[in-house]
Amino acid sequence: MATWERLAISYAPPADSGLWAFGSAWLGWDAEAGAVPPRPAVEGLPEDPLSLTVSPRRYGFHGTLKPPFFLAEGTSAGELEREAEALAASLAPFEAPPLSLQTTGRFGFLGLSAPSPEMAALASACVERLDRFRAPPSQAELARRRKMSLTPAQEDNLARWGYPYVFEQFRFHLTLTSALAPRTLAATVEALAPHAAPFCEAPLPVREIALFGDPGGGAPFRLLRRLPLGG
């Protein structure tokens, strides 16, 4: 495996699905193909779509399970890949509740329309069972996270797991926008609603997890390998 600055475990919609095509095209980056797909025609946007998706474009269309991390000393990307593959094989595929178009704070995203114990358990397994591969966060990273007014539970997660939003604080989401001003966010979500609607009707199939790599230098992440649940 090539050298990657950071690695992450995420949910990615199936490569041949309309959801993957829509999300990748909207963000302006297909992390699996390593290419910029044609942008969808979305009427009513308040700005150029490229300016609305700067932050999530770099990460590719995904739902975070184990957030990006530097490898711990004495571990390797190949070893992580093998252990993540074994982890995926030990877990059963499932159907999550349908998606819905949502906002929180200044961001727009596709989130689950109801709680999913299976999705929460999947994320928890990825965080906990692969934690030996994670190098401790730097003081700069800790300081950056703490600027977000963390709750005591989130502070405990940051200290123990290197990220505030894990376990009980986890909320599955497929990010669609950068941090936007309230009016811009509202107009963007309104414009996206008819395009997202077809992907919010049926349960979300969760059949695999995906290993993502960060090449560093601000370059966009790549989807390195899909790992099927249940082997």
Side-chain angles (χ1 to χ4, degrees):
M1 183 181 291
T3 301
W4 301 94
E5 185 172 279
R6 295 183 297 166
L7 295 158
I9 306 293
S10 299
Y11 168 82
D16 60 354
S17 68
L19 179 58
W20 175 257
F22 162 74
S24 298
W26 164 249
L27 293 184
W29 176 245
D30 185 321
E32 191 159 27
V36 178
R39 298 304 298 268
V42 179
E43 297 183 358
L45 291 172
E47 298 177 11
D48 185 309
L50 287 176
S51 68
L52 301 169
T53 58
V54 173
S55 175
R57 183 182 312 121
R58 179 171 178 242
Y59 294 89
F61 192 53
H62 77 286
T64 298
L65 297 173
K66 185 170 182 62
F69 57 92
F70 294 93
L71 281 172
E73 186 176 353
T75 66
S76 69
E79 188 180 9
L80 168 66
E81 180 181 2
R82 290 189 294 273
E83 196 149 327
E85 181 179 25
L87 169 62
S90 73
L91 301 172
F94 61 92
E95 304 283 329
L99 296 169
S100 64
L101 187 58
Q102 305 175 32
T103 62
T104 183
R106 298 169 62 191
F107 296 89
F109 62 96
L110 287 168
L112 298 180
S113 56
S116 171
E118 296 88 352
M119 186 70 83
L122 174 61
S124 295
C126 291
V127 168
E128 187 170 15
R129 291 170 60 178
L130 300 174
D131 197 57
R132 72 181 187 88
F133 293 98
R134 176 185 61 85
S138 66
Q139 290 302 312
E141 172 69 6
L142 291 173
R144 183 176 71 83
R145 295 289 184 194
R146 287 171 174 144
K147 289 180 180 179
M148 296 183 284
S149 302
L150 301 179
T151 66
Q154 291 165 355
E155 176 64 37
D156 288 345
N157 285 338
L158 178 63
R160 172 62 185 87
W161 304 103
Y163 192 70
Y165 310 110
V166 295
F167 299 104
E168 291 81 4
Q169 302 298 313
F170 169 74
R171 185 181 183 186
F172 177 80
H173 60 282
L174 300 157
T175 305
L176 294 174
T177 76
S178 299
L180 304 176
R183 289 185 179 180
T184 303
L185 178 59
T188 300
V189 169
E190 182 179 0
L192 278 175
H195 298 268
F199 312 114
C200 300
E201 298 171 352
L204 179 70
V206 182
R207 303 283 181 264
E208 58 193 12
I209 59 177
L211 176 64
F212 279 72
D214 174 8
F221 278 60
R222 294 296 307 274
L223 195 164
L224 308 179
R225 188 177 168 199
R226 294 175 180 269
L227 307 169
L229 299 181

